[in-house]
Amino acid sequence: MKEGYTSLSIAIKDLQEEGYNVDFNLVEEGVEAKSKKKTWPAGKLDVVKFYRFEGATNPSDNSILYVIETEDGEKGLLVDNYDASATQVSKEMLEKLKIHHNE
């Protein structure tokens, strides 16, 4: 896992090659993987790293890539905007993501 990437697409490709293949989506209680038809609450996952990317022409294009590992061994990625607090998520999940937003 690199310290930084020049673009979101390069980061996703590189991390997928390292085995982070699950496409996570943010849900109220934590994250879900629709392809696996499974949801993990915040207490059953770790955000192991994150990368921020800024839009070249539009500040609203800012995004953050979370590298996530679940307690049961799944490894994947979650792409979100900088403001996770705007999304309906549990307090526990918000706290997990908030650490990274404030660094």
Side-chain angles (χ1 to χ4, degrees), residues 23-70:
D23 181 20
F24 289 117
N25 295 300
L26 198 56
V27 293
E28 185 174 350
E29 61 276 4
V31 296
E32 73 173 354
K34 289 183 180 179
S35 65
K36 297 190 175 286
K37 297 179 181 168
K38 188 166 181 181
T39 301
W40 293 265
K44 301 285 184 182
L45 62 92
D46 287 313
V47 175
V48 295
K49 192 145 181 81
F50 70 96
Y51 300 94
R52 291 181 177 160
F53 299 94
E54 295 183 9
T57 58
N58 187 345
S60 67
D61 290 340
N62 294 340
S63 59
I64 189 163
L65 174 65
Y66 293 100
V67 181
I68 295 174
E69 295 180 6
T70 66

Side-chain angles (χ1 to χ4, degrees), residues 72-89:
D72 60 353
E74 297 292 344
K75 294 167 51 172
L77 306 170
L78 167 69
V79 179
D80 199 14
N81 63 23
Y82 274 17
D83 190 16
S85 62
T87 308
Q88 291 285 21
V89 296

